[in-house]
Amino acid sequence: MSKQWQIAHKHDGYYKRAKAEGYRSRAAFKLKQINNKFKIFRPGDIVLDLGAAPGGWSQAALEMVGTSGLVIGIDLEHINPLENAIFLEGDITDNGVVDLINEHTKGSEIQVVISDAAPNISGNYGLDQARSVYLAETALDLAKKVLKPNGNFVVKVFEGVDFKEFLDHVKISFKTYKRFSPQASRTRSSEIYVIGLGFIKMFKYTL
Ligand SMILES: C[S@@+](CC[C@H](N)C(=O)[O-])C[C@H]1O[C@@H](n2cnc3c(N)ncnc32)[C@H](O)[C@@H]1O
């Protein structure tokens, strides 16, 4: 058995498992592996899922927060409904997105923000990577606006230019930060997940 075959087989394995277990994406297993390691979710949590289509992460998050929890998912694309989830069509880089989220939380606090948002792959790695960092920074800015103190954050980002700066931005807003590559990520992928645990809320004071 060649190494290449083994790699392809393993990843087909996640694809097949996703189909067999009713997940909308193989990415659902990445979130489960992240949660197994870092205990991101608790029953009853409200979760904001950025770049949520087709809904695999939302399905996995719903399992972890249970029926007393809620997932609010946003994507440029339409997402088919799920019980205990609210799906919104929108662009996370739009200024109005926080108001859109607040309309649906109705004052309840968000405990977890997750973002698997990724640009359309152009084939130009430098461009794709820069877009990925921009989406990750956008997700972090949103998390800082909506997360309750001590909340958690998970975000995908492609490694490369400005990755270190992005990590530094996560580091100053969370008690702990980690980088993690789940087994379900493709072996040759440059994606990495950055995890922020224990959000430190900074209050703005005006004179
Ligand atoms: C890898 S997919 C997410 C898969 C999802 N986590 C799942 O498990 O089903 C990345 C998503 O990011 C979305 N996306 C990219 N840029 C976005 C933006 N500016 N606003 C909202 N969604 C965006 C894409 O439309 C795409 O659906």
Side-chain angles (χ1 to χ4, degrees), residues 1 3 14 27 43 57 67 72 76 85 98 110 116 134 136 162 183:
M1 256 178 282
K3 182 87 181 152
Y14 280 114
W57 271 31
T67 48
I72 299 172
L76 300 168
V98 173
I110 292 175
D116 198 27
Y134 176 64
D162 293 339
Q183 207 208 4

Side-chain angles (χ1 to χ4, degrees), residues 181-192:
S181 185
Q183 207 208 4
S185 278
R186 289 186 169 84
T187 311
R188 279 173 294 174
S189 167
S190 57
E191 74 184 18
I192 188 115

Side-chain angles (χ1 to χ4, degrees), residues 24-28 30 49-59 74-77 90-94 115-120 134-135 138 156 191 193:
R24 295 177 181 182
S25 70
R26 62 195 292 294
K30 299 183 203 174
D49 182 2
L50 303 171
W57 271 31
S58 294
Q59 288 176 298
I74 305 181
D75 203 287
L76 300 168
E77 310 281 336
D91 184 335
I92 62 167
T93 66
D94 274 355
S115 175
D116 198 27
N120 278 331
Y134 176 64
L135 286 172
T138 301
K156 174 164 73 184
E191 74 184 18
Y193 288 86

Side-chain angles (χ1 to χ4, degrees), residues 46-203:
I46 300 181
V47 178
L48 178 64
D49 182 2
L50 303 171
W57 271 31
S58 294
Q59 288 176 298
L62 281 166
E63 278 174 24
M64 297 181 277
V65 301
T67 48
S68 58
L70 171 73
V71 171
I72 299 172
I74 305 181
D75 203 287
L76 300 168
E77 310 281 336
H78 171 79
I79 307 174
N80 288 331
L82 285 172
E83 204 170 326
N84 290 331
I86 297 169
F87 289 129
L88 309 169
E89 249 175 81
D91 184 335
I92 62 167
T93 66
D94 274 355
N95 288 332
V97 77
V98 173
D99 292 337
L100 185 67
I101 295 162
N102 287 337
E103 264 172 43
H104 290 273
T105 54
K106 298 190 174 74
S108 301
E109 288 182 306
I110 292 175
Q111 283 89 4
V112 185
V113 174
I114 54 179
S115 175
D116 198 27
N120 278 331
I121 299 303
S122 71
N124 174 338
Y125 187 74
L127 185 64
D128 296 338
Q129 195 266 337
R131 287 179 172 156
S132 162
V133 173
Y134 176 64
L135 286 172
E137 290 280 11
T138 301
L140 177 62
D141 283 347
L142 276 175
K144 283 155 69 173
K145 287 178 185 149
V146 303
L147 262 186
K148 69 175 283 191
N150 231 23
N152 296 327
F153 176 57
V154 176
V155 63
K156 174 164 73 184
V157 61
F158 298 166
E159 277 192 290
V161 179
D162 293 339
F163 177 70
K164 167 81 176 58
E165 283 74 5
F166 176 66
L167 270 185
D168 288 342
H169 296 158
V170 175
K171 188 176 173 181
I172 55 173
S173 290
F174 292 85
K175 290 177 190 160
T176 313
Y177 77 103
K178 304 277 177 195
R179 33 183 299 174
F180 183 62
S181 185
Q183 207 208 4
S185 278
R186 289 186 169 84
T187 311
R188 279 173 294 174
S189 167
S190 57
E191 74 184 18
I192 188 115
Y193 288 86
V194 175
I195 292 118
L197 300 171
F199 177 53
I200 302 162
K201 188 139 187 139
M202 317 260 184
F203 293 95

